Amino acid sequence: MPDSNRHPGHRKLLSHIRKIMAAEGTAQYRLDALVKAIASNLHADVCSLYLRRPDTSMELWATYGLDPNAVHITRLGAGEGLVGEIVRLARPLNLTEAPSHPAFSFHPETAEDPFHGFLGVPVLRGGRLLGVLAVQSREARHYSNDDIEALQNVSMILAEIVSSGDLLTAHELENVALRPSRAETLSGRRISDGLAVGSAVLHDPARLKTILIAEDPEAEKTRLLTAITELRHAVDALYQGKGNRLGGPSREVLEAYRMFANDQGWLDRLCEAAGSGLSAEAAVERVRGEHRARLLSAKDPYLRERLHDLEDLANRLLRHLGAVDELVELPEDAVLIARTIGPAELLELDRSRLKALVLEEGSPTSHAAIVARALRLPVVGQVTGLLDRISPDDTIMVNAEEGIVSIRPDTDTEDLFRVRVDERRQRRATYARLREKPARTRDGQRITLTMNAGLRVDLPQLEESGAEGIGLFRTEFQFLLSDHLPRLNEQAQLYRAVLDAAGTRPVVFRTLDLGGDKILPYVAHERESNPALGWRAMRMAIDRPGLLRYQFRALIDATGGRELNIMFPLITTLTEFRIARNLLDEEIKRMTRFGYEMPAKVRVGSMVETPAIVWQLEGLLKEADFVSVGANDLMQYFFAADRENPRVAERYDILNPGSLNMLGHVATICRKAKRPVSVCGEIAGQSVEAAILIALGFTELSIPPAAIGPIKRMILSLDQKDLGTKLAKWVVEPQARVRENLMAYAQVKGLSL
Ligand code: PEP
Ligand code: MG
């Protein structure tokens, strides 16, 4: 690590610059003084500042040593000259003999011909290149590392000041490309349906407070080191699972955080920057900007991925330094932009202001997606390059029906969007008209459409959507959103509210499905290398039955004399089902003894979420009153593809003969056993998949409430027997293409998918 006392002259430069920037006068006057001060401090003959124009050319804004008449006249095309080379590389260029560099170009109007020594650095802000700052000398000269450091520090400060908007007038700012301004349309993945327009709010934005230059560099270094130590502890705690709530950073990301937080190269760069006279915050920002610029130009997706990890880490470090304003309140019409988000975080946001969510990652079966659907929040995920292209407050149109986002839309895009909004309104009006109509296929098969729920906010949806009941109530959501283990009466209150809202409609309560990615922050848990295959759901409940018995008590109490439907998650063997059922029976006996009013009827069901139970279904159905196919988990285990990992979550088409054979088997066995079966995974809420499920023989779907209208419309246009016959042929074709076949079939038969 370099000794920060080595270049006191450079520190003087920083305090000189602070004075210049704080002085009265036009921007031009101050920038002229700035380049002069730099030239003098570095004993250079020339110092020039170029800023990038919106057309991406580089304009000479200030110079000391070149012909002043060239200021605002000289413009270098993209990639032109040594300045263009720095733009391309996004890192310093230090040349003893500049004219012999292949990128050297001569501009007679600047009279730079006789200069040999050259040092230029990019002016970076958040990884985006705003300009280039360069010094030149008449003699051949190799600038020292300290000189490079000094120039980088000044350029970092310049970047902050220029982009703060305090230096340049509004008119001047029009000629500087501070942020992307082109209209762009990016595509991603539909995660939660809807349309919305609003202004971009960056989740986790680094909004740097303005102290950039250190009063006391040693004290700054100490502050920085303390913050780094705190950061390491915090990352370690996250890694060990403490405070990592549902959907927090994934294990892979945490591994990367840990690696960077302990990376000596990163720490050296930070300390070097702080020791050279920048405030600790400015040092973090400078190093972050340099990494960002370099990694942004990387083509390798792995490297770009690591860039995000470094960004997150820098944001965390700034937070430890107290340098970043927390996101206190969302503005009106906010469209939140994030790499990823957890469901608990999502619920903490003000829904009345939040119009949509756009993610670089995100998978449709993740729990955040399930919560977003419950909140009826439009979400587009897997939008590659999103964070590089958007700036805070940009207008953004989110078309989560098609998985498209338009940033800074032009008028044509706006018009098109308005058409989509109109169409959607009409469609919704159609769905509202269908609300009271029973879902019956054209050939007379009645299909029951119930809804999935888990939050109080879901309950009004029972009426609005026309759902025939709640086919899946995810009880763990209450636990995940609470900062303590919900007490018996808190649980009972929620269950009572659910039953009251449902009235005569049936409700199926699923017992706690914790573990995997659903970790309670207030319960100690051990790190598992494979959480989806780990100690979760029923396995946890059987090993620690206290929580489950407590929940049974709350459910029985809340039900009073009504009917109680309970379902167990992730059953893998018949023994697991029996153990859970016995616990319930014991609880019923115990509460009867204490004189509680007992439910009029208790029905006990099981989720079908593991291939293991699929192949023991006959046995299970002798004991279970009903089953529900949790296709999210069943498919994750069937394809061995983590549902939370966007890289693999959708790698395999569920309409593949293997999975369809398995689902068909489930439908057939349940029909033969005369036991009710529903499908409650996310696929049941998608028209294409739902049509296939019905063709396979499923007659109850439990789906997100917003899907009830579209699915009912599809059902009303479907001939179940006819599609069933076709499907039986499609799956045995050597090159089975069920999805394509269905799309073609829908066209011919007028099936509304
Ligand atoms: C499923 O796995 O399909 C399911 C409905 O349960 P969850 O999504 O809550 O895991
Ligand atoms: Mg599940």
Side-chain angles (χ1 to χ4, degrees), residues 615-635:
W615 306 111
Q616 304 171 70
L617 208 49
E618 281 109 330
L620 179 69
L621 292 176
K622 292 199 177 98
E623 303 181 35
D625 298 312
F626 62 93
V627 291
S628 186
V629 180
N632 302 335
D633 277 316
L634 184 58
M635 292 304 148

Side-chain angles (χ1 to χ4, degrees), residues 367 370 472 474 476 510 513 518 536 607 609 630-633 643 680-681:
H367 287 103
I370 290 166
L472 167 68
R474 293 180 163 99
E476 65 277 6
R510 181 177 71 184
D513 182 6
K518 297 188 248 182
R536 51 167 296 205
M607 296 282 287
E609 296 182 287
N632 302 335
D633 277 316
R643 63 191 268 197
C680 64

